Amino acid sequence: MIAQQKSWRSAIPVRMALCLAISAIVICTTFVAIGFVEKAFHNGLTEALGRVTRAATHVTVRELVRMTILSSALGSIACFPVYCNPAQARIRPGLMILCAALAALALAGYLSFESWYRFGDRAVPPAGLILALAAAGLASAYVSRTVLRLWLRLS
């Protein structure tokens, strides 16, 4: 009996790369939206638009690389059930929530360590940031799952 060869689209490294790219987009978009909404509530819509425009034009390569690495780290943990399971397999929501929470805690731990190492600040990231990281990780996992299903249907 000859084994049927899988498509290159269903290989784990390809699925992982797609999940990480989607995760970086979702997480960066989430934090831009959070900053925009916060600024809009405090200073008005015009100031919020100006602030986002200034921030986008003054982004350095170092900041872009750092944000990509942090979002990839968050996405690699949060999207673990998505890229390791076949697209047809049902993923339990509890597992996706657990992975998103673990990713948020790991990233919060890193940010806390970085804050202590660079600035001597021993403060833990606020609970709102940890919840936002978990929500962004969970959203990126669900978006990645949807895109992977569409991606594999095309093959």
Side-chain angles (χ1 to χ4, degrees):
M1 179 181 268
I2 298 174
Q4 196 174 26
Q5 191 175 17
K6 286 196 227 180
S7 170
W8 62 272
R9 291 179 184 225
S10 63
I12 289 180
V14 173
R15 292 189 312 206
M16 184 177 182
L18 191 63
C19 284
L20 292 181
I22 291 169
S23 177
I25 292 168
V26 167
I27 292 168
C28 291
T29 304
T30 300
F31 285 106
V32 166
I34 289 171
F36 177 77
V37 169
E38 180 183 7
K39 197 57 136 167
F41 276 137
H42 291 289
N43 298 1
L45 190 60
T46 307
E47 177 64 27
L49 285 171
R51 182 72 168 218
V52 168
T53 306
R54 279 192 304 274
T57 57
H58 289 81
V59 172
T60 64
V61 174
R62 182 177 182 203
E63 291 170 344
L64 190 62
V65 167
R66 181 176 183 269
M67 189 64 171
T68 303
I69 289 171
L70 291 177
S71 64
S72 295
L74 181 68
S76 65
I77 298 170
C79 295
F80 180 77
V82 176
Y83 61 77
C84 284
N85 288 333
Q88 296 79 17
R90 188 167 184 267
I91 302 171
R92 291 191 172 94
L95 180 62
M96 301 224 348
I97 291 170
L98 176 68
C99 286
L102 289 175
L105 289 174
L107 193 56
Y110 168 76
L111 292 174
S112 178
F113 174 76
E114 183 184 52
S115 175
W116 167 77
Y117 184 75
R118 278 193 183 167
F119 309 112
D121 185 14
R122 294 185 184 180
V124 176
L129 176 65
I130 296 171
L131 286 175
L133 289 171
L138 188 62
S140 68
Y142 275 107
V143 169
S144 296
R145 187 171 132 207
T146 303
V147 169
L148 277 174
R149 284 186 177 178
L150 293 172
W151 171 266
L152 293 175
R153 281 189 186 163
L154 293 175
S155 60

